[in-house]
Amino acid sequence: MTQVKAAAPRALAVPDLSALSAALLLTATVLIAALAYYFLGYDQGAVSVFGSDTHVHEFVHDARHFLGFPCH
Amino acid sequence: MERKFIGAGLFAGLVAGIVSFVFARIFIEPQVAKAIAFEESQSKAEEMAHAAEHAAEQDHHGEVEVFSRTIQENFGAGVGTVVFALAMGAFFAVAFTVLWAYVGRRWPSTDPRAVVGALGLLGFVAAFGVPFFVYPANPPAVGDDATIGERSGSFLIITLVSVIAMIIAVVVALQLRDRIGGLAGATIAGIGYLVVIGVAKELLPEFHEVPAGFPAAVIGDFRVYAIANQVVLWTVLTLVFAAAISAFTRRTEQAAGDLVTAAR
Ligand SMILES: [Zn+2]
């Protein structure tokens, strides 16, 4: 019933949300994976996001060596 | 579909991380233990030399252990390896999604598993092989504590340069494929990638910090096993991801077949 009236002259292009959500999902995945990679391989070695705490470094220390990251 | 690809990447990463940890625990950990034994014998000798003059500071070298060796070599190493493999699986899935969106549309007859295989090989070379070539992995006690910041920064730079140059090389190779052929395009892109790596290696600092008396065989064995460990990790990751992609493909074919049957 309202369909006839709804043929409005001011038509705004509908964004393709399926493509947008795919882009968002891929970007979020890359960011989270990069964060995990950074914490595992770099944080508390040279730089430390949480001050001088070394818990993450000490915990995954052997994994760092196994995976070829620079260490002590 | 991209949701399924990322799920497949994380699953493949999980499996690869577990297999890689088992490999590393058996083959790399003994080298790490030998390196730590050397390190401790060195610091003990140092302590004894200084004991006479600095009797009061004797506990200077007695570093407080946050986690015991047992926790580090088993639980910590396992969690760390799995987290690394999950991150690689996630990157792998995103790279495959973007690559297949282009290749699958442009050359629809391509087998997606061939794309997975190529991605696994290129990912191994870009994310591990080239950074290892520039800065080989070392067991504990090899490396000056004072340069840890510089070494970490240089390693991160060569890894980023390598991965970004590899992405550009793949884009160039795909762009050239229809114009000059796949092999010629890949050759040009490959040469370009190697030139970028060569320049980066020349510009980045070098580190020669093996302490005097450190057993060379430990470094040698450690590096061979470190390479083998990544070969295991990337092979399992690639094969499991390819198997998952095959399962999706078969299911799609099945669904299409069911539709045809239903229409009859
Ligand atoms: Zn270390």
Side-chain angles (χ1 to χ4, degrees):
Chain A
M1 286 157 265
T2 49
Q3 268 175 340
V4 185
K5 283 180 191 169
R10 286 189 296 161
L12 180 66
V14 181
D16 188 353
L17 272 182
S18 66
L20 182 66
S21 73
L24 280 176
L25 178 70
L26 296 178
T27 310
T29 306
V30 168
L31 286 179
I32 293 168
L35 204 65
Y37 174 82
Y38 162 78
F39 266 99
L40 178 72
Y42 297 95
D43 197 57
Q44 299 174 8
V47 271
S48 187
V49 171
F50 298 117
S52 57
D53 182 85
T54 57
H55 278 81
V56 176
H57 175 93
E58 288 293 322
F59 185 59
V60 298
H61 172 264
D62 284 34
R64 266 193 207 200
H65 280 285
F66 290 178
L67 298 165
F69 288 104
C71 196
H72 80 294
Chain B
M1 206 63 210
E2 57 278 355
R3 216 170 266 272
K4 278 186 177 179
F5 289 167
I6 289 169
L10 292 175
F11 176 69
L14 179 68
V15 178
I18 292 167
V19 175
S20 157
F21 168 65
V22 171
F23 179 90
R25 183 67 187 76
I26 295 170
F27 294 101
I28 309 183
E29 186 57 43
Q31 310 308 319
V32 170
K34 283 179 201 167
I36 287 174
F38 172 83
E39 184 182 31
E40 276 168 0
S41 71
Q42 289 296 99
S43 66
K44 258 199 201 104
E46 206 176 300
E47 232 169 82
M48 273 157 80
H50 288 283
E53 338 164 20
H54 303 284
E57 292 176 72
Q58 207 163 12
D59 64 345
H60 175 74
H61 283 284
E63 286 158 30
V64 182
E65 271 191 350
V66 185
F67 294 101
S68 73
R69 286 295 309 139
T70 313
I71 290 181
Q72 284 183 352
E73 67 187 19
N74 294 311
F75 199 46
V79 170
T81 307
V82 167
V83 167
F84 177 85
L86 283 172
M88 290 303 125
F91 287 135
F92 196 105
V94 171
F96 176 78
T97 307
V98 175
L99 196 57
W100 183 244
Y102 182 80
V103 172
R105 189 163 297 143
R106 188 126 182 217
W107 300 284
S109 62
T110 313
D111 187 336
R113 286 167 300 184
V115 176
V116 174
L119 188 62
L121 197 65
L122 297 179
F124 170 78
V125 169
F128 173 76
V130 161
F132 185 94
F133 161 74
V134 178
Y135 296 115
N138 280 320
V142 176
D144 187 352
D145 278 347
T147 62
I148 178 72
E150 211 189 338
R151 282 185 287 129
S152 294
S154 302
F155 187 77
L156 182 59
I157 288 171
I158 193 63
T159 304
L160 289 176
V161 165
S162 171
V163 169
I164 292 166
M166 185 61 90
I167 292 169
I168 294 170
V170 169
V171 170
V172 168
L174 290 174
Q175 292 298 313
L176 291 177
R177 188 172 163 180
D178 280 348
R179 273 181 247 167
I180 60 169
L183 185 62
T187 306
I188 290 173
I191 291 170
Y193 171 76
L194 290 178
V195 167
V196 170
I197 296 305
V199 171
K201 183 175 166 30
E202 279 308 303
L203 295 176
L204 286 166
E206 282 184 40
F207 303 95
H208 301 286
E209 302 175 331
V210 181
F214 193 92
V218 173
I219 299 184
D221 288 348
F222 178 87
R223 286 180 181 170
V224 169
Y225 291 135
I227 295 170
N229 183 40
Q230 293 280 332
V231 171
V232 167
L233 192 154
W234 285 88
T235 305
V236 173
L237 177 62
T238 306
L239 289 177
V240 173
F241 192 82
I245 294 299
S246 287
F248 297 153
T249 313
R250 245 181 275 131
R251 248 177 246 159
T252 315
E253 276 166 8
Q254 180 102 45
D258 290 348
L259 272 179
V260 172
T261 319
R264 276 190 193 140

